[in-house]
Amino acid sequence: MSKDLLEKAKTLEPMNPNKSTALFGGESSGILNWNDIAYPHWYKMYKRLIGNYWQADEVNMSDDLRQFASLTDEEQDAYLKIIGLLSTLDAPQTRTALLLSLYATDPSVQSIMAVIAQQEAVHNESYSYVLSSVVSFDEQNASFQLGRTDPVLLERNEMIMRQYNAFVEEPSVENILKTLVYTSLLEGMFFYSGFAFFYHLARQNKMVGTSTMISYINRDELEHGRFIAELFRATLHENPDLNTGEFSDWVYSRFSESVDLEIEWSTYVLGNIDGIDLDEMAGYIKYRANKMLRMIGLDDIYPEHTENPMKWIRAYADNFDSTKTDFFEQKSRQYTKTSDLNGFDDL
Ligand code: ZN
Ligand code: ZN
C-alpha cells in the first residue's frame, strides 16, 4: 500500500477549480458552492447534521441529582465508568474531524467536518455537565482519569489510539482510510453498550436527564457514522490501488478484534448490573458491527446477528425523527412504549 504523505490542503488557491478533483490529494480553490460539489447528495447530510444542533445545559438534571444517591453501588460505579469511557472516546473526535478536514481537498468535506467537530465539542462538554450535576468534583475528576489509568479501558482503546496517532505522524490516504474505519467503529459501535446502560436506567425511570443527553449524543453519532461510511467508500473508490483484498481483510480483522474487546469491556463494566443480559449485549454489539460493515460496503461477519436482539432500545430512538421541540419534552419519552413496528432499525 502507498505510504505517500499528503500535504495539508491549500486554504485558497484561485488557480484551482471550485469543484474538487479528489477528496484527498486533489485540487480545489477553497471556495464552496454547495450547488457545485463532487458528491451533491452530501448537502443533505450537512443539512441533517446541522439540524441536530443542541446544547448540554438545555437538559434539566435536577431529578438526576436527586436520584443518583438512590442507585445501587454497582449502578453508580457503572455510571461513572461509562461516562469515563465515553469522554475518553469522544475527546479525540473533535480533533480527528479537524485533521481529516485539514487534508481534505474538497470544501464540502471541510464544512461537514467542521459541524461534526462542533458536535463532538458539545458531547465532551455534556460529560462534564452530567457529572458536575450528580457527583462531587473529586468524583468527576476520578471518572475523567479512567481513560488514562483503568487497565481494561487502556487495553480496549489501544488500537484506536495507535491508528489515530499514526494518522498524525503519517498523513497518507492509507492512514486516512484506516482512521475512517476506526471512526466508523467508534461512531457506530464503541459507544453503544454505554448508551444501552443509560437507556436501561431510563427504562426504570432512573436518571432520565442523563439518558436524554445520551439520546442526543446517540442521534449525532448515528449521523456521523453515516457520513464517515460515505466518506470511506468514496475515498476508497477514488483510490482503487488501495481497494485490495488485503485491505478488506485488515478491516474485517479490526472489526472482529474490536467486537471481542467491546464484549470484554461490557462484561467488566455491566457484569453486576441487575436486569442487563450480557449475552444479549454481546449480540447487540455484533449486530452493530454487522451494520457498520454493511455501511462501509463490506459483508456481515456475524450472520447469526443480523437482527437487533435488544429491541426495547428502539423506544429511546422513537423521537429521532420528531421536531426538536418534541424531542426536548422528556415526559413523552417516559411513556413511550417499546414497539417493533416503528421501523427504526438504526440502534
Ligand atoms: Zn461524540
Ligand atoms: Zn461522533
Side-chain angles (χ1 to χ4, degrees):
M1 278 193 177
S2 154
K3 286 278 178 199
D4 296 342
L5 297 191
L6 294 167
E7 288 188 10
K8 289 195 189 83
K10 296 272 192 303
T11 302
L12 266 182
E13 183 46 86
M15 297 296 285
N16 290 344
N18 287 352
K19 184 172 172 174
S20 72
T21 59
L23 292 168
F24 296 97
E27 291 181 339
S28 70
S29 67
I31 297 167
L32 172 55
N33 174 6
W34 280 108
N35 297 312
D36 182 27
I37 56 176
Y39 297 86
H41 64 292
W42 288 0
Y43 180 59
K44 273 195 191 137
M45 305 199 91
Y46 164 80
K47 292 300 281 179
R48 282 224 300 264
L49 280 162
I50 215 152
N52 284 350
Y53 180 83
W54 61 280
Q55 286 199 62
D57 52 12
E58 288 173 81
V59 177
N60 184 337
M61 293 292 292
S62 53
D63 286 345
D64 291 44
L65 165 63
R66 195 170 36 76
Q67 278 184 336
F68 188 78
S70 67
L71 299 181
T72 65
D73 288 351
E74 291 78 12
E75 286 168 342
Q76 290 188 11
D77 184 56
Y79 185 105
L80 296 173
K81 277 206 175 85
I82 290 169
I83 294 286
L85 159 84
L86 295 175
S87 67
T88 311
L89 287 175
D90 245 349
Q93 290 309 94
T94 315
R95 182 174 155 78
T96 298
L98 168 71
L99 282 170
L100 288 165
S101 159
L102 286 177
Y103 291 98
T105 44
D106 185 308
S108 71
V109 175
Q110 295 165 7
S111 280
I112 290 171
M113 284 301 169
V115 178
I116 291 180
Q118 178 267 320
Q119 292 176 337
E120 301 300 3
V122 171
H123 299 175
N124 282 284
E125 179 201 359
S126 72
Y127 303 129
S128 301
Y129 175 72
V130 293
L131 283 191
S132 66
S133 304
V134 300
V135 293
S136 71
F137 181 64
D138 286 348
E139 286 169 298
Q140 293 163 42
N141 270 344
S143 179
F144 279 100
Q145 295 295 338
L146 289 174
R148 304 175 50 234
T149 55
D150 186 290
V152 180
L153 195 49
L154 280 167
E155 189 201 341
R156 181 191 183 288
N157 293 342
E158 163 112 28
M159 297 299 283
I160 187 167
M161 184 180 78
R162 264 200 241 160
Q163 181 53 48
Y164 275 14
N165 288 336
F167 170 39
V168 175
E169 278 157 28
E170 270 188 32
S172 58
V173 174
E174 181 186 339
N175 269 332
I176 284 173
L177 284 167
K178 289 181 169 177
T179 295
L180 291 172
V181 168
Y182 270 105
T183 302
S184 66
L185 272 165
L186 195 152
E187 305 279 7
M189 191 189 90
F190 287 163
F191 288 123
Y192 290 71
S193 65
F195 290 164
F197 168 71
F198 292 109
Y199 299 147
H200 169 75
L201 291 182
R203 208 179 173 193
Q204 308 162 59
N205 270 323
K206 292 179 185 168
M207 311 303 281
V208 172
T210 308
S211 93
T212 301
M213 181 88 71
I214 292 293
S215 284
Y216 297 150
I217 295 173
N218 195 160
R219 181 180 58 173
D220 289 348
E221 305 305 12
L222 286 168
E223 214 59 71
H224 299 175
R226 275 190 199 112
F227 179 69
I228 294 299
E230 283 267 336
L231 184 61
F232 174 85
R233 280 188 286 131
T235 305
L236 197 57
H237 184 74
E238 287 185 2
N239 295 274
D241 56 314
L242 295 171
N243 194 356
T244 61
E246 190 196 342
F247 185 55
S248 35
D249 287 347
W250 182 90
V251 177
Y252 284 126
S253 305
R254 298 295 76 75
F255 265 75
S256 65
E257 171 186 83
S258 299
V259 163
D260 293 346
L261 285 167
E262 190 63 31
I263 291 172
E264 195 182 313
W265 161 261
S266 66
T267 307
Y268 166 66
V269 79
L270 301 173
N272 297 319
I273 303 299
D274 267 356
I276 289 190
D277 178 335
L278 289 175
D279 287 338
E280 210 175 67
M281 184 64 80
Y284 181 56
I285 291 165
K286 290 175 180 171
Y287 158 78
R288 289 295 323 167
N290 280 338
K291 195 157 180 94
M292 294 318 292
L293 278 168
R294 286 198 300 274
M295 278 171 69
I296 63 172
L298 294 172
D299 299 319
D300 291 351
I301 49 175
Y302 304 102
E304 69 284 19
H305 292 98
T306 53
E307 298 280 322
N308 179 0
M310 292 168 67
K311 291 201 175 2
W312 59 269
I313 280 187
R314 293 179 183 176
Y316 297 90
D318 273 355
N319 289 330
F320 281 6
D321 292 329
S322 306
T323 65
K324 183 175 167 181
T325 321
D326 291 337
F327 198 76
F328 273 86
E329 282 175 10
Q330 292 183 19
K331 59 182 186 305
S332 64
R333 296 169 46 79
Q334 298 177 32
Y335 303 116
T336 306
K337 292 221 171 63
T338 306
S339 159
D340 293 346
L341 300 173
N342 61 40
F344 193 97
D345 69 350
D346 271 316
L347 279 173

